[in-house]
């Protein structure tokens, strides 16, 4: 470790010495008082789509309710280190329950809402939670098998679901919190002592990775690792505005947990919780956040929607004006990359373009106040980043994994370069193994997988390096570029190494393509299966005369749509080397979702699932 990294790490370590999340939250409450902390849409009529209005809770009340939950947990016999499992959408009760578990000295576990009953049963049997908090009847059904088989679960707290007859473990959320408040009045000192027992090296959470194959693994993250990650992220982001954030990804995902829970709880701000990601665009228009995080698929969908509207413009003069402004925006953002300079002349041209059009376009998206916009979880297509640069926005790519407590590299105002995921966070080391695998080391690293020593040994080597499983490149200035997953690299029968995600990103630049999977392992050439974007495809279909209401299967089979898919393949192939070019493809008559199992809850491809479900299609493409 270099002396510079060591000095920066020591400085951050000193700032969080002895801190736990309960201590950090108490400081935030002291500073923020009754300022808004969390808002959600519970109680708002959303039956016809997005509607304005929020249910809001202040910072002081967040902590008080969390202490009530902690009291209820202690009253239920929860010991220090016990697991508390949560399955709920992004809503205030989810945050409060999580913090309640932390203040009780327990370990919180948000579980993906999309897990099947079999997967839930595995997680429950492996983690052995003492208390489970569930939101609705669907979640209760997903836990039915686990509740039947488990010998560890003492209490099941139901937020909205009706209490089933015959299971004395079940209690409503309101009754549980009320009992906890009553218990606190009698045992305040006991609760205070339990919270004080929590140490920085204690587990704060266990997150079961959604995974693309096999059973999920429980990643153990300590208070210390989480706090270090938060301080690093704040330093790199260098925000100047009050934190207004929209939280819409599952809290079982480390990025959302860090951005929507942990950073606000130690730094303050106002977090707007969205239960259904389909409501995101409406929330952006109402909140106008100062920070926004999106997985690449979210950015792609926003770009596709804007591009479709811009393409529909028929006035040549207006079209030229928009294209000219976007070109200036791109030039301006490119000049903000490390090593570049924004000239006074470019500054003036951008200011005119921004005041004339770009600021208006950002405002339409609800991103006009956004000073920190980021992407992670999968490689961001360069063309998508360049599109938003045209709007005058820098999207800071971030790279990390659950096992590194979220980010180990990030872009930011002082370390920005398009096409990269930034540079290592302060005090974190990032390097490449001889085979190109990205390795990371530092205080943000997980202690390992819960009750899986063999898997932990594979993850963290004897020198403390976390093996990410990703292949990367690092340039002379320390900027990291992620090539692809090590296990997902394709080796054709001729021995050519191919990164499928690069080809897939090119294919998805077509507005009609929702998802793409490239295949070619041990085969003579590369093929692809494509799906339609369920929102954009019907709009495009209408433009070519397909009747409104036609389902995706019929749209996919239409000659005009097939021709557009061929154009997408041709356009991608023009940018690829001969061995990388897609020689055959098929447009599927279905949509891929987390529920249909082709995608993880964070919208990443489950390649092996697609390989298995569409084995006949893949074989047909080689016929």
């Amino acid at each position: 470790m270099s002396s510079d990294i060591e000095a920066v790490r020591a400085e951050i370590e000193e700032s969080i010495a002895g801190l736990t999340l309960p201590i950090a939250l108490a400081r935030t409450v002291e500073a923020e008082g009754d300022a808004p902390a969390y808002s959600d849409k519970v109680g708002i009529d959303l039956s016809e789509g997005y509607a304005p209005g929020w249910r809001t809770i202040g910072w002081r009340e967040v902590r008080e309710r969390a202490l009530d939950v902690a009291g209820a947990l202690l009253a239920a016999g929860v010991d220090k280190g016990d697991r508390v499992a949560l399955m709920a959408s992004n809503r205030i009760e989810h945050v409060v329950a999580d913090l309640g578990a932390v203040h009780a000295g327990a370990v919180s576990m948000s579980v993906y809402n999309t897990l099947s009953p079999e997967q839930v049963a595995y997680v429950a049997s492996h983690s052995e939670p003492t208390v489970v908090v569930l939101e609705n009847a669907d979640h209760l059904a997903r836990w039915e098998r686990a509740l039947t088989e488990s010998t560890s679960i003492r209490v099941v707290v139901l937020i909205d679901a009706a209490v089933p007859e015959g299971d004395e473990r079940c209690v409503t959320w309101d009754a549980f919190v009320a009992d906890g408040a009553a218990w606190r009045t009698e045992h305040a000192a006991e609760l205070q002592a339990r919270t004080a027992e929590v140490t920085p090296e204690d587990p704060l959470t266990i997150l079961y990775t959604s995974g693309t194959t096999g059973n999920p693994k429980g990643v153990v993250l300590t208070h210390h690792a989480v706090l270090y990650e938060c301080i690093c992220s704040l330093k790199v982001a260098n925000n100047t505005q009050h934190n207004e954030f929209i939280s819409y990804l599952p809290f079982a995902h480390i990025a959302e947990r860090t951005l929507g829970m942990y950073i606000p709880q130690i730094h303050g701000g106002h977090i707007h919780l969205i239960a259904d990601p389909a409501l995101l665009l409406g929330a952006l228009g109402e909140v106008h956040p100062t920070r926004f995080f999106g997985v690449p698929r979210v950015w792609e969908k926003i770009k596709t929607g804007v591009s479709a509207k811009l393409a529909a413009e028929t006035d040549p003069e207006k079209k030229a004006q928009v294209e000219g402004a976007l070109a200036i925006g791109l030039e301006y953002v490119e000049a903000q990359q490390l090593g570049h300079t924004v000239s006074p002349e470019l500054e003036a041209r951008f200011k005119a373009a921004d005041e004339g059009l770009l600021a208006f376009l950002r405002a339409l998206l609800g991103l006009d106040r956004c000073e920190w916009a980021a992407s992670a979880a999968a490689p961001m297509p360069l063309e998508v980043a360049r599109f938003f640069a045209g709007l005058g926005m820098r999207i800071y790519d971030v790279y990390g994994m659950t096992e590194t407590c979220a980010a180990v590299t990030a872009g930011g105002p002082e370390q920005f370069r398009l096409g990269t995921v930034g540079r290592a966070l302060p005090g974190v080391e990032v390097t490449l193994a001889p085979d190109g695998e990205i390795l990371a080391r530092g205080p943000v690293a997980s202690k390992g997988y819960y009750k899986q020593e063999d898997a932990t040994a594979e993850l963290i080597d004897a020198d403390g390096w976390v093996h990410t499983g990703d292949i990367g490149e690092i340039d002379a200035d320390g900027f990291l570029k992620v090539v692809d997953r090590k296990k997902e690299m394709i080796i054709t029968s001729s021995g050519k190494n191919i990164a499928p995600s690069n080809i897939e990103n090119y294919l998805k630049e077509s507005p009609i393509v929702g998802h793409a999977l490239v295949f070619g392992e041990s085969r003579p050439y590369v093929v692809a299966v494509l799906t339609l974007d369920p929102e954009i495809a019907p709009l495009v279909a209408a433009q070519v005369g397909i009747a409104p209401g036609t389902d995706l299967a019929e749209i996919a089979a239409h000659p005009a749509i097939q021709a557009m898919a061929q154009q997408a393949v041709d356009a991608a192939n023009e940018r690829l080397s001969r061995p990388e070019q897609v020689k055959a493809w098929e447009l599927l008559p279905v949509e891929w979702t987390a529920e249909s199992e082709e995608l993880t809850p964070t919208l990443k491809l489950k390649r092996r699932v697609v390989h298995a479900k569409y084995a006949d299609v893949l074989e047909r493409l080689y016929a």
Side-chain angles (χ1 to χ4, degrees):
M1 182 169 59
S2 72
S3 58
D4 289 345
I5 293 176
E6 193 170 3
V8 171
R9 183 182 294 181
E11 179 186 343
I12 296 174
E13 292 283 19
E14 184 179 357
S15 72
I16 62 172
L19 274 187
T20 62
L21 189 62
I23 296 172
L25 176 65
R27 293 179 179 180
T28 298
V29 171
E30 185 176 351
E32 297 277 321
D34 297 315
Y38 287 93
S39 297
D40 64 22
K41 289 284 180 181
V42 173
I44 307 299
D45 183 6
L46 301 172
S47 58
E48 298 183 5
Y50 190 85
W54 300 89
R55 178 181 66 149
T56 299
I57 184 173
W59 280 107
R60 198 180 315 280
E61 190 177 358
V62 165
R63 184 169 182 269
E64 285 301 311
R65 288 197 196 175
L67 290 172
D68 288 343
V69 171
L73 292 172
L74 264 66
V78 170
D79 290 326
K80 185 173 184 289
D82 280 358
R83 276 71 58 206
V84 175
L86 316 170
M87 181 178 277
S89 62
N90 295 24
R91 57 184 289 168
I92 289 169
E93 287 82 2
H94 195 148
V95 176
V96 169
D98 191 276
L99 280 169
V102 173
H103 283 77
V107 183
S108 62
M109 294 171 32
S110 288
V111 179
Y112 282 110
N113 299 351
T114 53
L115 292 191
S116 67
E118 292 74 21
Q119 292 169 320
V120 170
Y122 170 79
V123 170
S125 66
H126 188 262
S127 61
E128 299 179 296
T130 305
V131 174
V132 176
V133 180
L134 306 176
E135 180 177 8
N136 55 41
D138 174 66
H139 300 161
L140 184 59
R142 292 175 189 271
W143 277 80
E144 184 176 0
R145 174 178 165 182
L147 295 179
T148 300
E149 297 175 354
S150 173
T151 58
S152 67
I153 299 172
R154 299 178 191 168
V155 179
V156 180
V157 185
L158 303 175
I159 299 173
D160 288 337
V163 174
E165 294 182 8
D167 193 338
E168 295 182 354
R169 296 174 298 179
C170 294
V171 60
T172 67
W173 170 262
D174 289 341
F176 189 70
V177 175
D179 289 346
W183 186 91
R184 276 182 66 197
T185 62
E186 301 283 337
H187 305 85
E190 186 177 336
L191 175 56
Q192 187 174 4
R194 173 67 67 82
T195 304
E197 290 177 16
V198 177
T199 73
E201 296 305 322
D202 283 338
L204 171 58
T205 188
I206 298 175
L207 296 180
Y208 278 82
T209 57
S210 58
T212 55
T213 184
N215 286 323
K217 296 188 286 288
V219 182
V220 181
L221 301 174
T222 65
H223 288 255
H224 174 258
V226 166
L227 288 165
Y228 192 99
E229 171 72 32
C230 292
I231 297 301
C232 281
S233 298
L234 289 167
K235 279 182 174 290
V236 173
N238 194 26
N239 298 116
T240 61
Q241 300 181 74
H242 181 73
N243 181 12
E244 294 275 349
F245 187 75
I246 296 176
S247 168
Y248 63 97
L249 292 172
F251 279 132
H253 188 262
I254 183 58
E256 193 63 82
R257 181 165 277 269
T258 299
L259 295 167
M261 281 195 184
Y262 298 142
I263 285 181
Q265 288 163 11
I266 73 167
H267 187 63
H270 185 187
I271 311 304
H272 297 77
L273 305 168
I274 303 295
D276 182 355
L279 303 175
L280 174 59
L281 293 182
L284 280 169
E286 187 178 0
V287 175
H288 294 261
T290 61
R291 307 178 200 179
F292 181 69
F293 173 82
V295 294
R297 185 61 185 144
V298 169
W299 291 111
E300 289 168 5
K301 289 180 79 68
I302 295 174
K303 171 190 177 294
T304 300
V306 176
S307 296
K309 290 181 180 178
L310 295 178
E313 177 56 62
T314 57
D315 186 325
E317 186 174 334
K318 288 183 179 179
K319 200 164 190 174
Q321 180 185 7
V322 172
E323 290 174 352
L326 292 174
I328 294 171
L330 174 58
E331 184 182 355
Y332 178 73
V333 170
E334 287 181 329
Q336 293 177 310
Q337 297 177 97
L338 189 73
H340 296 242
T341 303
V342 179
S343 67
E345 181 267 341
L346 177 56
E347 187 83 52
R349 284 196 292 127
F350 175 75
K351 183 178 179 182
D354 196 50
E355 292 176 350
L357 182 62
L358 298 181
F360 171 72
L361 292 176
R362 294 196 303 274
L364 287 179
L365 296 174
L367 295 171
D368 48 314
R369 293 200 302 156
C370 186
E371 67 171 342
W372 181 87
S375 177
M380 165 72 100
L382 181 57
E383 285 306 305
V384 176
R386 287 171 59 86
F387 173 83
F388 283 97
L391 294 175
M393 291 182 62
R394 289 176 290 184
I395 297 181
Y396 300 124
D397 247 326
V398 175
Y399 171 74
M401 55 199 300
T402 309
E403 291 85 344
T404 59
C405 214
V408 291
T409 73
E414 307 302 322
Q415 52 185 58
F416 171 62
R417 183 164 291 171
L418 282 166
T420 77
V421 292
R423 298 197 287 192
L425 264 59
V428 175
E429 300 169 89
V430 175
T431 190
L432 300 179
D435 64 355
E437 183 179 9
I438 302 167
L439 308 180
R441 182 168 66 181
V444 297
S446 166
K447 297 297 184 184
Y449 298 117
Y450 186 61
K451 296 197 297 190
Q452 289 183 277
E453 293 182 4
D454 291 347
T456 298
E458 292 179 9
L459 172 71
I460 307 171
D461 66 27
D463 294 320
W465 290 103
V466 175
H467 290 245
T468 65
D470 291 313
I471 299 295
E473 301 168 356
I474 299 177
D475 68 20
D477 294 315
F479 285 89
L480 175 67
K481 180 180 180 181
V482 180
V483 175
D484 215 326
R485 288 293 294 168
K486 184 176 178 179
K487 293 181 179 179
E488 291 172 359
M489 292 289 288
I490 292 171
I491 304 177
T492 64
S493 58
S494 61
K496 174 67 177 177
N497 287 284
I498 293 173
S501 66
N502 185 48
I503 305 171
E504 290 157 359
N505 283 339
Y506 287 158
L507 293 168
K508 289 189 293 181
E509 287 182 16
S510 168
I512 68 165
V513 176
H515 292 283
L517 179 134
V518 168
F519 183 79
E521 182 67 27
S522 300
R523 301 296 186 121
Y525 54 85
V526 168
V527 301
V529 286
L530 314 173
T531 69
L532 290 174
D533 186 298
E535 296 175 16
I536 300 301
L539 301 178
V540 175
Q543 294 175 356
V544 297
I546 300 175
T550 303
D551 64 24
L552 277 183
E554 291 183 67
I555 292 174
H558 194 280
I561 301 300
Q562 288 282 318
M564 291 181 189
Q566 181 65 62
Q567 290 171 3
V569 173
D570 293 343
N573 283 344
E574 287 179 4
R575 301 158 69 180
L576 297 166
S577 66
R578 187 173 295 277
E580 294 173 308
Q581 291 176 352
V582 176
K583 301 297 193 296
W585 57 273
E586 185 162 324
L587 183 61
L588 301 176
V590 296
E591 180 184 358
W592 289 348
T593 66
E595 291 290 349
S596 61
E597 298 185 345
E598 292 93 351
L599 306 180
T600 71
T602 53
L603 308 183
K604 290 186 286 188
L605 275 176
K606 290 184 176 180
R607 295 185 183 276
R608 291 171 181 81
V609 171
V610 175
H611 294 167
K613 289 183 73 171
Y614 301 98
D616 58 332
V617 176
L618 294 171
E619 286 302 321
R620 187 162 61 241
L621 291 173
Y622 286 103

